[in-house]
Amino acid sequence: MPLVPALRRASVAVILFLGASAVQASVAFHVTVTTERVNQPGVNTSLPARDTQDSDVVLGPHYLSVRDGKSLSVLDFATRRRHVIDTAASTYDTYSLFDVAGFRRFEIEHRKGMAGALQAGGLQAHVTPLVYEEQALSVPAARRRNALQPQVLDGAVLWSLDGQPLSRLDIAGSPASGDDATAFAQYLRYTWGGHPLVLKMLADGKRIPADFTLHYQEVGGKVTRHFRISAMTAGAPATYTLSAYRPRPLAADAPALERVLAQAALLPPPGPQVHPALRAEAEKLFAADKPFEAFLSMLEDHFSTGALVDKLSPQQQLAMQACQPIHDLTRALLAKDKEGIQAALATVQGLRQQHGLGQPVLALFEGNMRAKLGQWPAATALYLQVLQEKPQMAAVYQDLGDALLAQFDAPNAWRSWDAGRAMAPTLRQFRKVNDLERSLLHDYPAFFSGGVMLAPDVQPSTSRPASKTKTVGSTNLP
Protein backbone atom coordinates (compact mmCIF):
# COMPACT_ATOMS: atom_id res chain seq x y z
CA MET A 1 0.00 0.00 0.00
CA PRO A 2 2.43 2.72 -1.18
CA LEU A 3 1.97 6.40 -0.45
CA VAL A 4 0.88 8.39 -3.48
CA PRO A 5 2.25 11.91 -4.01
CA ALA A 6 -1.05 13.75 -4.06
CA LEU A 7 -4.37 13.51 -2.35
CA ARG A 8 -6.67 11.69 -4.78
CA ARG A 9 -9.71 11.27 -2.57
CA ALA A 10 -11.35 14.41 -1.18
CA SER A 11 -13.23 13.89 2.07
CA VAL A 12 -14.93 16.36 4.37
CA ALA A 13 -12.13 15.82 6.87
CA VAL A 14 -9.53 16.92 4.36
CA ILE A 15 -11.58 19.79 2.92
CA LEU A 16 -11.44 21.40 6.36
CA PHE A 17 -7.69 21.79 6.11
CA LEU A 18 -6.34 24.71 4.17
CA GLY A 19 -2.92 24.78 2.53
CA ALA A 20 -0.04 26.44 4.36
CA SER A 21 3.63 27.11 3.85
CA ALA A 22 4.75 24.47 6.35
CA VAL A 23 7.48 22.22 5.01
CA GLN A 24 6.09 19.02 6.47
CA ALA A 25 2.83 17.91 4.85
CA SER A 26 0.24 15.63 6.34
CA VAL A 27 -0.76 12.04 5.72
CA ALA A 28 -4.42 11.11 5.26
CA PHE A 29 -6.06 7.69 5.24
CA HIS A 30 -9.36 5.88 5.71
CA VAL A 31 -9.71 3.39 8.54
CA THR A 32 -12.33 0.72 9.02
CA VAL A 33 -12.59 -0.68 12.54
CA THR A 34 -14.54 -3.89 13.09
CA THR A 35 -15.33 -4.66 16.72
CA GLU A 36 -16.30 -8.15 17.85
CA ARG A 37 -17.45 -8.98 21.37
CA VAL A 38 -17.63 -12.39 23.04
CA ASN A 39 -19.47 -12.00 26.31
CA GLN A 40 -19.23 -14.28 29.30
CA PRO A 41 -22.27 -16.49 29.99
CA GLY A 42 -25.05 -14.59 31.70
CA VAL A 43 -23.82 -11.15 30.68
CA ASN A 44 -26.60 -8.91 29.36
CA THR A 45 -25.52 -5.95 27.25
CA SER A 46 -27.00 -3.72 24.60
CA LEU A 47 -23.69 -3.63 22.73
CA PRO A 48 -23.79 -5.56 19.45
CA ALA A 49 -21.70 -8.67 18.98
CA ARG A 50 -20.21 -7.09 15.86
CA ASP A 51 -20.16 -3.55 14.56
CA THR A 52 -18.11 -1.50 12.11
CA GLN A 53 -17.01 2.12 12.20
CA ASP A 54 -15.42 4.05 9.34
CA SER A 55 -13.30 7.16 9.83
CA ASP A 56 -11.21 9.56 7.79
CA VAL A 57 -7.97 10.51 9.53
CA VAL A 58 -5.43 13.25 8.85
CA LEU A 59 -2.04 13.17 10.60
CA GLY A 60 -0.58 16.66 10.56
CA PRO A 61 2.75 17.98 11.85
CA HIS A 62 1.18 19.30 15.06
CA TYR A 63 -2.41 18.06 14.90
CA LEU A 64 -4.53 15.10 13.92
CA SER A 65 -8.16 14.92 12.88
CA VAL A 66 -10.71 12.12 12.95
CA ARG A 67 -14.01 12.32 11.09
CA ASP A 68 -16.78 9.88 12.08
CA GLY A 69 -20.02 10.61 10.25
CA LYS A 70 -21.05 14.16 11.09
CA SER A 71 -18.51 14.57 13.89
CA LEU A 72 -15.01 15.85 13.22
CA SER A 73 -12.50 15.92 16.08
CA VAL A 74 -9.25 17.86 15.79
CA LEU A 75 -6.45 17.43 18.34
CA ASP A 76 -4.05 20.38 18.26
CA PHE A 77 -0.84 19.46 20.07
CA ALA A 78 0.71 22.90 19.63
CA THR A 79 -1.98 24.54 21.78
CA ARG A 80 -3.01 21.39 23.67
CA ARG A 81 -6.62 21.84 22.65
CA ARG A 82 -9.13 19.52 21.00
CA HIS A 83 -12.01 20.76 18.93
CA VAL A 84 -15.14 18.65 18.49
CA ILE A 85 -16.98 19.84 15.38
CA ASP A 86 -20.55 19.16 14.36
CA THR A 87 -20.22 19.50 10.58
CA ALA A 88 -23.97 19.39 10.02
CA ALA A 89 -24.63 22.31 12.39
CA SER A 90 -21.30 24.05 11.57
CA THR A 91 -20.54 24.43 15.28
CA TYR A 92 -17.74 23.29 17.55
CA ASP A 93 -16.80 22.81 21.19
CA THR A 94 -13.26 23.23 22.51
CA TYR A 95 -11.67 21.23 25.33
CA SER A 96 -8.26 20.79 26.90
CA LEU A 97 -6.01 17.88 25.91
CA PHE A 98 -5.09 17.61 29.58
CA ASP A 99 -8.54 16.25 30.43
CA VAL A 100 -7.84 13.05 28.44
CA ALA A 101 -4.58 12.15 30.19
CA GLY A 102 -6.00 13.39 33.49
CA PHE A 103 -9.05 11.17 33.19
CA ARG A 104 -6.95 8.15 32.17
CA ARG A 105 -4.74 8.56 35.24
CA PHE A 106 -7.79 8.90 37.48
CA GLU A 107 -9.53 5.94 35.84
CA ILE A 108 -6.56 3.53 35.97
CA GLU A 109 -6.27 4.09 39.72
CA HIS A 110 -10.03 3.59 40.07
CA ARG A 111 -9.86 0.30 38.18
CA LYS A 112 -6.92 -0.89 40.27
CA GLY A 113 -8.93 -0.11 43.39
CA MET A 114 -11.94 -2.02 42.05
CA ALA A 115 -9.73 -4.99 41.21
CA GLY A 116 -8.37 -5.00 44.75
CA ALA A 117 -11.89 -4.93 46.17
CA LEU A 118 -12.97 -7.84 43.94
CA GLN A 119 -9.94 -9.89 44.91
CA ALA A 120 -10.54 -9.19 48.59
CA GLY A 121 -14.12 -10.38 48.13
CA GLY A 122 -13.06 -13.65 46.50
CA LEU A 123 -14.24 -12.58 43.04
CA GLN A 124 -10.94 -13.04 41.23
CA ALA A 125 -12.73 -14.38 38.14
CA HIS A 126 -14.26 -10.94 37.61
CA VAL A 127 -10.95 -9.08 37.71
CA THR A 128 -9.69 -7.77 34.36
CA PRO A 129 -5.95 -8.49 33.91
CA LEU A 130 -3.95 -5.32 34.43
CA VAL A 131 -2.42 -5.43 30.96
CA TYR A 132 -5.90 -5.05 29.46
CA GLU A 133 -6.66 -2.04 31.65
CA GLU A 134 -3.45 -0.55 30.26
CA GLN A 135 -4.54 -1.56 26.75
CA ALA A 136 -7.89 0.21 27.13
CA LEU A 137 -6.50 3.43 28.65
CA SER A 138 -3.01 3.62 27.09
CA VAL A 139 -1.42 4.46 30.45
CA PRO A 140 0.84 2.27 32.61
CA ALA A 141 -0.66 0.96 35.82
CA ALA A 142 2.75 0.50 37.46
CA ARG A 143 6.44 0.26 36.63
CA ARG A 144 6.78 -2.63 34.20
CA ARG A 145 9.82 -4.87 33.80
CA ASN A 146 8.51 -7.36 31.26
CA ALA A 147 8.69 -6.74 27.51
CA LEU A 148 6.36 -7.58 24.64
CA GLN A 149 6.82 -11.13 23.39
CA PRO A 150 6.46 -11.89 19.65
CA GLN A 151 4.97 -14.98 18.05
CA VAL A 152 5.54 -15.23 14.31
CA LEU A 153 2.41 -16.19 12.39
CA ASP A 154 1.67 -16.50 8.67
CA GLY A 155 2.26 -12.96 7.41
CA ALA A 156 1.85 -11.39 10.86
CA VAL A 157 3.29 -11.19 14.38
CA LEU A 158 1.24 -11.65 17.55
CA TRP A 159 2.55 -9.53 20.40
CA SER A 160 1.73 -10.56 23.97
CA LEU A 161 2.54 -9.32 27.45
CA ASP A 162 2.42 -11.41 30.62
CA GLY A 163 0.91 -14.19 28.52
CA GLN A 164 -1.97 -12.00 27.32
CA PRO A 165 -2.31 -11.30 23.55
CA LEU A 166 -2.44 -7.58 22.84
CA SER A 167 -1.85 -7.00 19.13
CA ARG A 168 -1.70 -8.96 15.89
CA LEU A 169 0.36 -6.90 13.47
CA ASP A 170 0.38 -7.78 9.80
CA ILE A 171 3.68 -7.43 7.96
CA ALA A 172 2.15 -5.38 5.11
CA GLY A 173 2.16 -1.62 5.52
CA SER A 174 3.40 1.73 4.23
CA PRO A 175 6.80 3.21 5.08
CA ALA A 176 6.43 6.42 7.08
CA SER A 177 8.61 9.05 8.68
CA GLY A 178 9.23 8.86 12.39
CA ASP A 179 6.90 11.81 12.92
CA ASP A 180 4.08 10.19 10.92
CA ALA A 181 4.49 6.87 12.74
CA THR A 182 4.38 8.70 16.07
CA ALA A 183 1.25 10.58 14.96
CA PHE A 184 -0.37 7.29 13.95
CA ALA A 185 0.27 5.88 17.42
CA GLN A 186 -1.16 9.11 18.82
CA TYR A 187 -4.34 8.61 16.79
CA LEU A 188 -4.80 5.17 18.39
CA ARG A 189 -3.96 6.49 21.86
CA TYR A 190 -6.72 9.08 21.77
CA THR A 191 -9.41 7.06 19.96
CA TRP A 192 -9.18 3.29 20.52
CA GLY A 193 -6.48 2.95 23.14
CA GLY A 194 -3.57 0.56 22.88
CA HIS A 195 -1.02 -0.61 25.42
CA PRO A 196 1.81 1.93 25.91
CA LEU A 197 4.35 -0.69 24.80
CA VAL A 198 2.32 -1.50 21.67
CA LEU A 199 2.00 2.19 20.80
CA LYS A 200 5.72 2.74 21.33
CA MET A 201 6.46 -0.19 19.02
CA LEU A 202 4.23 1.32 16.34
CA ALA A 203 5.79 4.77 16.77
CA ASP A 204 9.31 3.35 16.52
CA GLY A 205 8.48 1.14 13.53
CA LYS A 206 8.44 3.98 10.95
CA ARG A 207 5.55 2.49 9.04
CA ILE A 208 1.76 2.56 9.11
CA PRO A 209 0.37 -0.99 9.07
CA ALA A 210 -2.24 -1.97 6.50
CA ASP A 211 -4.03 -4.38 8.85
CA PHE A 212 -3.71 -5.04 12.56
CA THR A 213 -5.80 -6.22 15.49
CA LEU A 214 -6.00 -5.07 19.10
CA HIS A 215 -7.26 -7.44 21.81
CA TYR A 216 -9.09 -6.25 24.91
CA GLN A 217 -10.68 -7.86 27.92
CA GLU A 218 -13.48 -6.33 29.96
CA VAL A 219 -15.58 -7.42 32.91
CA GLY A 220 -18.28 -8.69 30.56
CA GLY A 221 -16.04 -10.59 28.16
CA LYS A 222 -13.46 -10.25 25.40
CA VAL A 223 -13.30 -7.61 22.69
CA THR A 224 -11.33 -7.73 19.45
CA ARG A 225 -10.88 -4.77 17.11
CA HIS A 226 -9.57 -5.25 13.61
CA PHE A 227 -8.21 -2.17 11.82
CA ARG A 228 -7.90 -1.89 8.05
CA ILE A 229 -6.10 1.15 6.63
CA SER A 230 -6.88 2.20 3.07
CA ALA A 231 -6.68 5.21 0.69
CA MET A 232 -3.33 6.23 2.17
CA THR A 233 -2.31 9.58 0.68
CA ALA A 234 0.51 12.03 1.23
CA GLY A 235 0.57 15.77 0.60
CA ALA A 236 -2.56 16.74 2.54
CA PRO A 237 -2.46 20.35 3.85
CA ALA A 238 -0.34 20.79 6.95
CA THR A 239 -2.67 23.03 8.95
CA TYR A 240 -6.35 23.48 9.73
CA THR A 241 -8.84 26.27 10.31
CA LEU A 242 -12.03 26.64 12.32
CA SER A 243 -13.17 29.66 10.31
CA ALA A 244 -16.03 27.75 8.69
CA TYR A 245 -17.55 26.99 12.09
CA ARG A 246 -18.80 28.89 15.12
CA PRO A 247 -18.77 27.99 18.83
CA ARG A 248 -21.82 25.93 19.68
CA PRO A 249 -24.48 28.24 21.14
CA LEU A 250 -25.97 27.63 24.54
CA ALA A 251 -29.29 25.80 24.42
CA ALA A 252 -32.28 27.48 26.04
CA ASP A 253 -32.72 24.53 28.41
CA ALA A 254 -29.01 24.11 29.20
CA PRO A 255 -28.27 22.87 32.74
CA ALA A 256 -26.66 25.12 35.33
CA LEU A 257 -23.15 23.75 34.69
CA GLU A 258 -23.24 24.65 31.01
CA ARG A 259 -24.72 28.07 31.73
CA VAL A 260 -22.01 28.85 34.29
CA LEU A 261 -19.13 27.75 32.07
CA ALA A 262 -20.56 29.46 29.00
CA GLN A 263 -20.92 32.67 30.99
CA ALA A 264 -17.35 32.33 32.27
CA ALA A 265 -16.04 32.11 28.70
CA LEU A 266 -17.47 35.55 27.95
CA LEU A 267 -16.29 37.33 31.09
CA PRO A 268 -13.18 39.52 30.94
CA PRO A 269 -10.59 39.18 33.71
CA PRO A 270 -11.46 41.25 36.79
CA GLY A 271 -10.27 44.79 36.25
CA PRO A 272 -8.17 46.84 38.70
CA GLN A 273 -11.34 48.37 40.09
CA VAL A 274 -12.65 45.12 41.59
CA HIS A 275 -10.37 45.01 44.64
CA PRO A 276 -10.93 48.66 45.68
CA ALA A 277 -14.69 48.26 45.26
CA LEU A 278 -14.85 45.13 47.42
CA ARG A 279 -12.58 46.66 50.05
CA ALA A 280 -14.72 49.79 50.11
CA GLU A 281 -17.75 47.59 50.74
CA ALA A 282 -15.92 45.97 53.66
CA GLU A 283 -15.10 49.41 55.09
CA LYS A 284 -18.78 50.36 54.97
CA LEU A 285 -19.70 47.18 56.82
CA PHE A 286 -17.09 47.84 59.51
CA ALA A 287 -18.47 51.36 59.89
CA ALA A 288 -21.97 49.88 60.28
CA ASP A 289 -20.67 47.65 63.11
CA LYS A 290 -20.97 44.48 61.00
CA PRO A 291 -17.52 42.89 61.35
CA PHE A 292 -18.66 39.42 60.26
CA GLU A 293 -20.19 40.71 57.05
CA ALA A 294 -17.04 42.79 56.48
CA PHE A 295 -14.91 39.67 56.96
CA LEU A 296 -17.00 37.80 54.39
CA SER A 297 -16.63 40.70 51.96
CA MET A 298 -12.85 40.60 52.33
CA LEU A 299 -12.90 36.84 51.74
CA GLU A 300 -14.90 37.40 48.56
CA ASP A 301 -12.21 39.88 47.53
CA HIS A 302 -9.54 37.27 48.20
CA PHE A 303 -11.31 34.56 46.18
CA SER A 304 -11.85 37.00 43.31
CA THR A 305 -8.54 38.89 43.15
CA GLY A 306 -6.16 37.14 45.54
CA ALA A 307 -6.05 40.17 47.87
CA LEU A 308 -5.21 39.32 51.47
CA VAL A 309 -7.33 40.16 54.49
CA ASP A 310 -4.94 42.75 55.90
CA LYS A 311 -4.40 46.49 56.44
CA LEU A 312 -6.96 46.55 59.23
CA SER A 313 -7.19 49.46 61.61
CA PRO A 314 -6.81 48.76 65.35
CA GLN A 315 -10.56 49.28 65.77
CA GLN A 316 -11.32 46.81 62.99
CA GLN A 317 -8.96 44.24 64.50
CA LEU A 318 -10.66 44.58 67.87
CA ALA A 319 -14.10 44.28 66.26
CA MET A 320 -13.07 41.06 64.52
CA GLN A 321 -11.52 39.64 67.69
CA ALA A 322 -14.77 40.28 69.55
CA CYS A 323 -16.94 38.73 66.79
CA GLN A 324 -18.03 35.22 67.80
CA PRO A 325 -19.27 34.17 64.31
CA ILE A 326 -15.76 34.83 62.93
CA HIS A 327 -14.27 32.54 65.60
CA ASP A 328 -16.92 29.89 64.89
CA LEU A 329 -16.25 30.02 61.16
CA THR A 330 -12.45 29.95 61.36
CA ARG A 331 -12.58 27.05 63.82
CA ALA A 332 -14.92 25.17 61.47
CA LEU A 333 -12.58 25.70 58.52
CA LEU A 334 -9.73 24.04 60.44
CA ALA A 335 -11.61 20.75 60.97
CA LYS A 336 -9.69 17.69 59.74
CA ASP A 337 -11.35 14.41 60.75
CA LYS A 338 -14.78 13.25 59.62
CA GLU A 339 -16.50 13.97 62.93
CA GLY A 340 -14.99 17.45 63.05
CA ILE A 341 -15.99 18.18 59.46
CA GLN A 342 -19.55 17.08 60.14
CA ALA A 343 -19.68 19.47 63.09
CA ALA A 344 -18.13 22.20 60.94
CA LEU A 345 -20.79 21.62 58.28
CA ALA A 346 -23.51 22.16 60.90
CA THR A 347 -21.77 25.38 62.00
CA VAL A 348 -21.60 26.76 58.46
CA GLN A 349 -25.22 25.79 57.81
CA GLY A 350 -26.24 27.63 60.94
CA LEU A 351 -24.36 30.74 59.85
CA ARG A 352 -26.06 30.54 56.44
CA GLN A 353 -29.45 30.44 58.11
CA GLN A 354 -28.56 33.56 60.09
CA HIS A 355 -26.94 35.56 57.29
CA GLY A 356 -28.86 34.36 54.25
CA LEU A 357 -28.64 31.23 52.13
CA GLY A 358 -27.54 33.38 49.21
CA GLN A 359 -24.39 34.64 50.99
CA PRO A 360 -21.75 33.43 48.47
CA VAL A 361 -18.74 32.87 50.74
CA LEU A 362 -20.74 30.84 53.26
CA ALA A 363 -22.29 28.81 50.42
CA LEU A 364 -18.76 28.18 49.12
CA PHE A 365 -17.61 26.98 52.53
CA GLU A 366 -20.60 24.63 52.86
CA GLY A 367 -19.68 23.25 49.44
CA ASN A 368 -16.12 22.68 50.64
CA MET A 369 -17.35 20.86 53.75
CA ARG A 370 -19.57 18.61 51.66
CA ALA A 371 -16.67 17.95 49.30
CA LYS A 372 -14.50 16.84 52.21
CA LEU A 373 -17.27 14.41 53.17
CA GLY A 374 -17.44 13.05 49.62
CA GLN A 375 -20.86 14.59 48.96
CA TRP A 376 -19.83 15.65 45.46
CA PRO A 377 -23.23 16.36 43.80
CA ALA A 378 -24.27 18.56 46.74
CA ALA A 379 -20.91 20.35 46.67
CA THR A 380 -21.22 20.89 42.91
CA ALA A 381 -24.69 22.40 43.31
CA LEU A 382 -23.39 24.86 45.91
CA TYR A 383 -20.42 25.90 43.77
CA LEU A 384 -22.75 26.51 40.84
CA GLN A 385 -25.02 28.57 43.08
CA VAL A 386 -22.07 30.76 44.05
CA LEU A 387 -20.87 31.21 40.47
CA GLN A 388 -24.31 32.10 39.19
CA GLU A 389 -24.39 34.90 41.76
CA LYS A 390 -20.66 35.81 41.66
CA PRO A 391 -19.23 34.60 38.34
CA GLN A 392 -15.91 36.38 38.90
CA MET A 393 -15.05 34.58 42.13
CA ALA A 394 -12.26 32.86 40.25
CA ALA A 395 -11.14 30.54 43.05
CA VAL A 396 -14.52 28.79 43.05
CA TYR A 397 -13.77 27.40 39.58
CA GLN A 398 -10.91 25.42 41.16
CA ASP A 399 -13.28 23.86 43.70
CA LEU A 400 -15.90 23.18 41.04
CA GLY A 401 -13.28 21.49 38.84
CA ASP A 402 -12.17 19.30 41.75
CA ALA A 403 -15.76 18.20 42.36
CA LEU A 404 -16.33 17.44 38.68
CA LEU A 405 -13.15 15.37 38.41
CA ALA A 406 -14.18 13.40 41.49
CA GLN A 407 -17.35 12.54 39.55
CA PHE A 408 -15.30 11.39 36.51
CA ASP A 409 -16.19 14.48 34.47
CA ALA A 410 -12.67 15.44 33.41
CA PRO A 411 -13.67 17.53 30.35
CA ASN A 412 -15.79 19.89 32.41
CA ALA A 413 -13.27 19.86 35.26
CA TRP A 414 -10.64 21.33 32.94
CA ARG A 415 -13.15 23.74 31.45
CA SER A 416 -13.82 25.03 34.95
CA TRP A 417 -10.14 25.27 35.88
CA ASP A 418 -9.29 27.01 32.62
CA ALA A 419 -12.13 29.49 33.12
CA GLY A 420 -10.83 30.43 36.57
CA ARG A 421 -7.22 30.67 35.42
CA ALA A 422 -8.22 32.91 32.51
CA MET A 423 -9.75 35.30 35.06
CA ALA A 424 -7.00 35.18 37.70
CA PRO A 425 -4.00 33.14 36.50
CA THR A 426 -1.81 33.95 39.51
CA LEU A 427 -4.37 32.99 42.15
CA ARG A 428 -2.72 30.59 44.59
CA GLN A 429 -5.72 28.25 44.49
CA PHE A 430 -4.70 27.20 40.95
CA ARG A 431 -1.28 25.95 41.98
CA LYS A 432 -2.78 22.50 42.44
CA VAL A 433 -4.06 22.17 38.88
CA ASN A 434 -0.88 23.73 37.50
CA ASP A 435 1.10 21.08 39.39
CA LEU A 436 -1.26 18.39 38.10
CA GLU A 437 -0.66 19.44 34.50
CA ARG A 438 3.09 19.46 35.03
CA SER A 439 2.91 15.96 36.46
CA LEU A 440 0.85 14.75 33.48
CA LEU A 441 3.43 16.19 31.10
CA HIS A 442 6.15 14.40 33.04
CA ASP A 443 4.40 11.06 33.52
CA TYR A 444 2.57 10.80 30.16
CA PRO A 445 4.69 12.77 27.64
CA ALA A 446 3.39 10.69 24.71
CA PHE A 447 -0.06 12.28 25.11
CA PHE A 448 1.37 15.72 24.41
CA SER A 449 4.01 15.15 21.74
CA GLY A 450 4.21 17.91 19.17
CA GLY A 451 3.25 20.81 21.41
CA VAL A 452 4.90 23.40 23.62
CA MET A 453 4.01 24.13 27.23
CA LEU A 454 1.77 27.16 27.65
CA ALA A 455 2.34 29.29 30.73
CA PRO A 456 -0.72 29.38 33.01
CA ASP A 457 -1.24 33.12 32.42
CA VAL A 458 -1.71 32.67 28.66
CA GLN A 459 -3.77 29.51 28.61
CA PRO A 460 -6.97 30.17 26.65
CA SER A 461 -10.22 29.19 28.28
CA THR A 462 -11.92 26.05 27.02
CA SER A 463 -15.24 27.07 28.51
CA ARG A 464 -17.48 26.21 25.61
CA PRO A 465 -20.78 24.39 26.09
CA ALA A 466 -20.10 20.72 26.65
CA SER A 467 -21.39 17.94 24.47
CA LYS A 468 -24.67 16.45 25.60
CA THR A 469 -23.25 12.99 24.95
CA LYS A 470 -21.63 11.50 28.03
CA THR A 471 -18.45 9.63 27.18
CA VAL A 472 -17.13 9.02 30.69
CA GLY A 473 -15.11 5.81 30.70
CA SER A 474 -14.81 5.63 26.92
CA THR A 475 -11.50 5.63 25.12
CA ASN A 476 -13.12 7.38 22.15
CA LEU A 477 -13.14 11.12 21.54
CA PRO A 478 -14.20 13.51 22.82
Side-chain angles (χ1 to χ4, degrees):
M1 187 175 58
L3 291 170
V4 296
L7 187 62
R8 293 178 179 171
R9 196 170 73 99
S11 68
V12 175
V14 176
I15 290 172
L16 170 72
F17 302 96
L18 302 182
S21 59
V23 174
Q24 181 187 351
S26 303
V27 171
F29 58 85
H30 184 82
V31 58
T32 300
V33 183
T34 301
T35 300
E36 296 180 342
R37 294 179 174 85
V38 178
N39 296 322
Q40 294 182 355
V43 173
N44 294 320
T45 177
S46 60
L47 295 173
R50 179 185 175 93
D51 65 85
T52 300
Q53 180 172 321
D54 288 279
S55 303
D56 290 300
V57 180
V58 176
L59 306 178
H62 67 85
Y63 73 90
L64 66 86
S65 74
V66 183
R67 184 182 189 278
D68 302 316
K70 296 179 180 179
S71 176
L72 174 62
S73 297
V74 181
L75 279 65
D76 188 329
F77 298 100
T79 61
R80 299 208 170 99
R81 292 292 178 262
R82 56 191 180 94
H83 311 289
V84 182
I85 301 166
D86 183 337
T87 56
S90 295
T91 61
Y92 69 90
D93 299 322
T94 295
Y95 302 90
S96 171
L97 278 188
F98 281 106
D99 68 50
V100 180
F103 171 78
R104 303 277 183 95
R105 170 190 278 181
F106 195 66
E107 177 66 8
I108 196 72
E109 292 303 320
H110 172 70
R111 295 189 186 189
K112 287 165 61 178
M114 291 295 295
L118 290 170
Q119 289 174 337
L123 299 173
Q124 178 64 40
H126 297 276
V127 175
T128 301
L130 203 55
V131 295
Y132 286 118
E133 303 291 22
E134 295 173 319
Q135 175 91 326
L137 298 172
S138 299
V139 295
R143 184 180 297 275
R144 180 168 294 283
R145 294 182 174 85
N146 297 337
L148 291 172
Q149 297 298 317
Q151 179 185 352
V152 178
L153 305 174
D154 184 18
V157 178
L158 179 65
W159 295 92
S160 301
L161 185 63
D162 297 342
Q164 306 288 349
L166 292 178
S167 177
R168 184 185 187 278
L169 188 62
D170 286 15
I171 294 175
S174 298
S177 68
D179 288 338
D180 288 338
T182 297
F184 180 77
Q186 193 73 293
Y187 151 69
L188 290 176
R189 177 177 287 110
Y190 273 89
T191 53
W192 300 104
H195 195 281
L197 294 180
V198 172
L199 297 178
K200 184 178 186 305
M201 178 182 63
L202 290 171
D204 294 343
K206 294 187 177 180
R207 73 185 185 97
I208 295 178
D211 290 271
F212 63 98
T213 301
L214 294 179
H215 299 275
Y216 308 80
Q217 185 172 321
E218 303 171 349
V219 174
K222 296 183 178 181
V223 178
T224 302
R225 288 194 173 97
H226 178 70
F227 297 76
R228 183 177 183 277
I229 309 298
S230 61
M232 181 77 69
T233 57
T239 190
Y240 70 92
T241 177
L242 295 174
S243 61
Y245 307 97
R246 60 191 174 93
R248 184 164 62 86
L250 189 66
D253 59 347
L257 176 60
E258 287 202 12
R259 293 199 305 273
V260 164
L261 294 182
Q263 176 180 242
L266 302 175
L267 288 174
Q273 75 283 357
V274 174
H275 167 60
L278 288 170
R279 188 54 190 257
E281 177 65 22
E283 294 294 331
K284 291 180 182 178
L285 292 167
F286 274 122
D289 196 23
K290 296 181 178 180
F292 185 62
E293 289 82 353
F295 179 55
L296 294 178
S297 181
M298 288 187 289
L299 288 176
E300 180 185 338
D301 186 10
H302 171 68
F303 294 136
S304 301
T305 69
L308 299 177
V309 180
D310 59 2
K311 299 180 181 178
L312 299 171
S313 69
Q315 294 82 0
Q316 291 170 344
Q317 293 180 35
L318 289 173
M320 290 182 64
Q321 291 171 4
C323 181
Q324 188 59 43
I326 293 179
H327 292 294
D328 293 340
L329 178 60
T330 53
R331 185 167 52 249
L333 297 177
L334 295 174
K336 300 295 183 183
D337 57 70
K338 183 177 180 180
E339 183 176 322
I341 296 169
Q342 289 173 332
L345 174 60
T347 297
V348 174
Q349 288 175 322
L351 290 170
R352 291 189 69 201
Q353 290 291 336
Q354 296 174 37
H355 297 275
L357 295 177
Q359 212 294 322
V361 174
L362 292 178
L364 168 63
F365 288 151
E366 180 175 344
N368 290 344
M369 298 299 172
R370 292 189 178 277
K372 290 180 179 180
L373 294 171
Q375 299 173 9
W376 298 112
T380 300
L382 285 161
Y383 297 144
L384 292 175
Q385 175 187 325
V386 173
L387 290 172
Q388 288 177 91
E389 178 68 24
K390 300 287 184 177
Q392 287 190 314
M393 277 182 66
V396 185
Y397 292 96
Q398 171 69 48
D399 296 321
L400 175 60
D402 291 348
L404 293 170
L405 185 61
Q407 296 170 87
F408 298 91
D409 189 354
N412 282 329
W414 254 272
R415 289 175 64 210
S416 184
W417 291 330
D418 283 351
R421 286 184 292 183
M423 293 180 191
T426 61
L427 210 62
R428 67 175 181 83
Q429 280 83 355
F430 295 119
R431 293 174 186 172
K432 182 166 63 172
V433 67
N434 292 337
D435 289 341
L436 172 59
E437 289 181 348
R438 279 189 286 268
S439 72
L440 292 172
L441 287 167
H442 177 271
D443 295 342
Y444 307 134
F447 277 86
F448 306 100
S449 61
V452 294
M453 183 58 180
L454 297 176
D457 59 345
V458 296
Q459 285 182 334
S461 173
T462 59
S463 297
R464 300 298 336 153
S467 170
K468 292 183 179 179
T469 303
K470 292 291 289 182
T471 57
V472 172
S474 171
T475 61
N476 284 340
L477 288 170

